[in-house]
Amino acid sequence: MRLSTGRVPDEPEINLVSLIDVVFCLIIFLVVTTTFDQRSALKLVLPQSQANSEVDPGEPLTILVDAEGRFFIGNDEVLKRDVGSLREAITRVAGEDRERPVVLRADARTPHQSVVTAMDALGQAGFRKISIATTPEATP
C-alpha cells in the first residue's frame, strides 16, 4: 500500500524570465556598440592625384556622385539626374550661403558627364569654391 505524503510531484518548467533578461541584455549591448555611418553605405573609389590638398575653414557642402552617376547632397539622394533638379536640391540644402566651400566626391568609375552636370549645377547656383576630392597616388 502506498501512502501519500501530501506533496505534488514536481513538473518540469522553463523559466522564461531569465531568458528574456538575457535577450534584452544582448539587444542593449548591440544598440550601444553599433555605429551608424551613413557614408559607409556608399563605396566610392576616388580618383588619384599628386596635388597637395588644401583644407578650407568651415563645414563644406559635400556632393557625392557614385559609380552609376547618382547624386547625393549631404545625406539625401537627388532622384532626378538633370541640372535643374540638382541645382534646386543644392540650393535647398545650402541655403543662401554661396561662399561656402563645396567638395565634389565623385567615384573614379563614374561617367564624366555626371561630374560635369554637378559642376554645372554648382556654377548655376552661384558656388565658386569647388574642390574635387581625390586620394593620394599610390607609390610603386
Side-chain angles (χ1 to χ4, degrees):
M1 169 152 90
R2 187 168 184 194
L3 297 174
S4 172
T5 59
R7 292 180 20 187
V8 178
D10 290 333
E11 292 185 24
E13 66 180 51
I14 298 175
N15 190 355
L16 291 178
V17 174
S18 59
L19 180 64
I20 291 172
D21 290 342
V22 170
V23 170
F24 279 140
C25 286
L26 287 174
I27 290 172
I28 290 172
F29 174 76
L30 291 175
V31 167
V32 169
T33 59
T34 303
T35 59
F36 298 100
D37 186 12
Q38 295 176 351
R39 295 181 194 267
S40 66
L42 282 176
K43 302 296 182 192
L44 293 182
V45 178
L46 294 176
Q48 297 179 349
S49 172
Q50 292 180 352
N52 293 334
S53 64
E54 296 179 15
V55 179
D56 286 334
E59 183 67 27
L61 174 66
T62 303
I63 298 177
L64 301 170
V65 185
D66 68 357
E68 286 92 32
R70 294 181 300 177
F71 299 102
F72 296 86
I73 301 174
N75 298 325
D76 301 325
E77 181 178 1
V78 179
L79 298 178
K80 295 182 181 178
R81 296 183 185 181
D82 62 309
V83 176
S85 300
L86 185 58
R87 184 184 62 240
E88 289 174 15
I90 290 169
T91 305
R92 189 174 343 112
V93 171
E96 297 298 321
D97 186 13
R98 297 298 182 258
E99 295 300 317
R100 184 176 181 184
V102 178
V103 176
L104 181 59
R105 296 178 54 96
D107 193 295
R109 300 164 297 189
T110 193
H112 188 66
Q113 181 60 50
S114 298
V115 176
V116 172
T117 301
M119 292 178 77
D120 191 23
L122 287 166
Q124 288 179 12
F127 290 94
R128 299 291 174 242
K129 297 179 181 178
I130 302 171
S131 302
I132 297 177
T134 60
T135 58
E137 189 170 347
T139 57

